[in-house]
Amino acid sequence: MKKTFELTHPKIKVARMVESVKHEVKKYIKRERNKSLPEDTDYWDFDCKIGKSAATADVIHVTTINQQVDTLVAEGVTSFYLEILVKPATRSFEEK
């Protein structure tokens, strides 16, 4: 998913637009995690970037997406760029 989200709408308040963005992201991640994994992999990993534009996007962890969206909204941006790329990954275990 590579998308620029607009937070302005003539009839919908910003708080509702933010909720819809968070819901769409949650739904996308759930849909991707439910896909069947390739052999020799354990889980789906996500590479995420967020920023005011695609050129200024910073790399973040998937669990901090909602916090970063809230931070951008608090700064007063009217739109932001979010990129979530899915890749299969294998867990590495450390011996104790």
Side-chain angles (χ1 to χ4, degrees):
M1 167 192 277
K2 295 180 182 181
K3 189 171 181 180
T4 300
F5 291 96
E6 294 292 331
L7 299 177
T8 57
H9 191 275
K11 293 184 179 182
I12 302 173
K13 295 183 180 180
V14 175
R16 300 296 78 78
M17 294 293 288
V18 170
E19 284 182 8
S20 69
V21 167
K22 289 179 181 180
H23 178 71
E24 184 176 340
V25 168
K26 180 181 172 184
K27 193 167 65 170
Y28 174 77
I29 290 173
K30 182 178 180 182
R31 183 173 48 240
E32 291 298 320
R33 281 189 175 143
N34 285 332
K35 290 184 179 179
S36 60
L37 285 165
E39 289 194 26
D40 300 331
T41 58
D42 296 327
Y43 67 100
W44 289 110
D45 193 17
F46 297 94
D47 293 331
C48 304
K49 290 183 180 182
I50 192 168
K52 295 179 182 178
S53 67
T56 62
D58 296 324
V59 176
I60 61 168
H61 192 266
V62 70
T63 58
T64 62
I65 291 175
N66 286 348
Q67 295 168 352
Q68 295 295 324
V69 169
D70 291 337
T71 303
L72 287 171
V73 170
E75 292 175 5
V77 298
T78 58
S79 67
F80 65 91
Y81 174 78
L82 179 63
E83 177 180 314
I84 304 173
L85 301 176
V86 182
K87 63 180 181 182
T90 305
R91 296 190 197 288
S92 60
F93 296 103
E94 294 181 12
E95 302 234 359
K96 293 184 179 180

